[in-house]
Amino acid sequence: LPPSVWEEIDKTTLYSAGGLAVMSAAIYTMALNGRAQFDDLSNQDLTTVQQLEDLQKSTNNKVYLSATMGGAAAGLYAAALWKVKF
């Protein structure tokens, strides 16, 4: 970015967007781990239908949270650039 653009960006909002994006990616990675456990037919830790349903619910909640945080990160990024004159 040109120096003048960098000076106009609301850095607190930009850094908040970056932090939310990182957290969103981390939570999505946790959801992918839950999905791998769900799909693993040799997983001895899941022995009942209720355990599978609980894991599925937990995994889905992580995906929803990750998507929400990703959307918030995109909104904050846009807000950080809102006043910049290109």
Side-chain angles (χ1 to χ4, degrees), residues 8-11 13-14 17 72-84:
E8 292 181 41
I9 291 176
D10 182 357
K11 290 169 191 59
T13 306
L14 182 68
L76 284 174
Y77 180 74
L81 295 177
W82 189 258
K83 296 180 182 177
V84 175

Side-chain angles (χ1 to χ4, degrees), residues 2 4-5 8 19-20 33 36-38 40-41 58 62 66 69-70:
S4 62
V5 172
E8 292 181 41
L20 271 175
N33 183 37
Q37 290 178 17
F38 185 85
D40 183 7
L41 298 177
S58 172
K62 288 173 186 160
S66 174
M69 292 175 78

